[in-house]
Amino acid sequence: MRVIAINGSHRKGKNTAIMLQWVLEEVATANIETELIELTDYKITSCKACNFCLRETDCNIKNDDMMAIAEKMFKADGIVLGSPVYFTNVTGLMKIFIDRTRWMHMCRNMLRDKIGAVVTNAGLRNGGQEIVLNILTRFLMAHGLHIVDSRNPNKGIYNIGATGTVFQGLSQENNGINWKKSIREDNLAFKECKELGRNLTREITLRKISSNS
Ligand SMILES: Cc1cc2nc3c(=O)[nH]c(=O)nc-3n(C[C@H](O)[C@H](O)[C@H](O)COP(=O)(O)O)c2cc1C
């Protein structure tokens, strides 16, 4: 069993990557293989809207790294997407990636029935996290994935995915904002990521058991 996480942040290893690692670390405790894919490490060119994917289960653009990422997606049982909020939206990099997956579902839903999960974080407390969760979730649902949320099954209801903020509070001195040093100081984000990882693990394991029986 294998779970990959795809980070759309333009900053490698920072807040979004930390949240995705929290999810993957939880998944790895169940002996599931994991991999974090930083989109900044890959060359992904924009969709040209040539509509080749309306006729073929393929993409006309061959001179970039999108196929390498696609192979990893096909091999995975679970896919976790992460993007920080940029102007109440996903990052430009994540959007370019999203558009380039069109061929994976226009003729045939190649990612159908995989398990999906999403994480985001923003500078502000209400900086657009819920909008980004919705964008990422709807994208995965368009590809036929089943979404797990960050709810603890026994108590409380959290988000459809995991959210974080680096907002710390208002600064008395200059009427400005104090920021957390990193998302590591957001313990609710940590808790939601762990729940997401647990729910992802449970869903993947149950599906494996039922497909083997
Ligand atoms: C271009 C740009 C746009 C941003 N837009 C928002 C925004 O609309 N709302 C918000 O709260 N934070 C916004 N931020 C802040 C980031 O969401 C925040 O710094 C986040 O923690 C970055 O994640 P990373 O560490 O994975 O790069 C923006 C940052 C950048 C660079």
Side-chain angles (χ1 to χ4, degrees):
M1 292 185 287
R2 188 169 175 77
V3 171
I4 61 167
I6 300 176
N7 184 15
S9 173
H10 293 196
R11 301 193 312 163
K12 199 174 157 179
K14 300 294 185 181
N15 296 322
T16 315
I18 290 167
M19 290 182 73
L20 290 169
Q21 287 287 17
W22 283 337
V23 178
L24 293 183
E25 280 162 17
E26 183 61 36
V27 168
T29 63
N31 284 330
I32 295 172
E33 281 179 43
T34 63
E35 181 180 359
L36 174 64
I37 297 166
E38 297 269 11
L39 289 182
T40 53
D41 285 340
Y42 295 81
K43 182 184 164 206
I44 311 171
T45 54
S46 305
C47 169
K48 305 289 178 247
C50 67
N51 285 335
F52 181 71
C53 59
L54 301 189
R55 302 185 302 276
E56 303 282 337
T57 307
D58 199 359
C59 180
N60 225 353
I61 303 172
K62 303 286 183 204
N63 58 352
D64 70 1
D65 297 330
M66 194 58 205
M67 279 299 164
I69 300 174
E71 287 304 323
K72 291 174 188 286
M73 293 168 80
F74 297 145
K75 284 190 192 133
D77 302 284
I79 300 173
V80 192
L81 288 187
S83 173
V85 178
Y86 280 9
F87 286 102
T88 327
N89 213 315
V90 295
T91 64
L93 194 50
M94 176 56 80
K95 185 63 169 74
I96 288 171
F97 163 77
I98 284 174
D99 290 346
R100 285 292 308 285
T101 66
R102 192 183 185 215
W103 64 277
M104 299 178 198
H105 84 131
M106 287 311 288
C107 292
R108 187 161 59 88
N109 236 347
M110 300 175 80
L111 301 174
R112 194 181 142 184
D113 289 338
K114 294 183 187 295
I115 308 300
V118 296
V119 314
T120 188
N121 76 93
L124 298 171
R125 191 170 52 181
N126 300 108
Q129 289 93 330
E130 286 189 293
I131 294 169
V132 167
L133 288 187
N134 279 333
I135 291 167
L136 294 176
T137 303
R138 290 179 74 120
F139 162 66
L140 291 178
M141 287 171 77
H143 278 291
L145 278 82
H146 299 276
I147 309 300
V148 292
D149 58 28
S150 59
R151 183 169 27 135
N152 179 321
N154 300 318
K155 54 179 176 356
I157 292 180
Y158 298 120
N159 262 316
I160 182 102
T163 60
T165 177
V166 287
F167 176 81
Q168 179 73 335
L170 295 177
S171 157
Q172 296 294 332
E173 282 161 26
N174 55 7
N175 226 6
I177 292 174
N178 287 330
W179 304 103
K180 295 180 174 83
K181 282 196 196 72
S182 101
I183 204 73
R184 290 191 195 283
E185 293 175 20
D186 184 340
N187 56 12
L188 182 58
F190 177 76
K191 189 172 160 54
E192 288 187 356
C193 287
K194 291 291 156 183
E195 294 292 358
L196 202 57
R198 274 191 277 277
N199 292 341
L200 197 54
T201 302
R202 186 182 317 108
E203 208 55 44
I204 287 172
T205 310
L206 284 175
R207 272 158 197 273
K208 210 49 159 190
I209 292 167
S210 76
S211 71
N212 288 343
S213 61

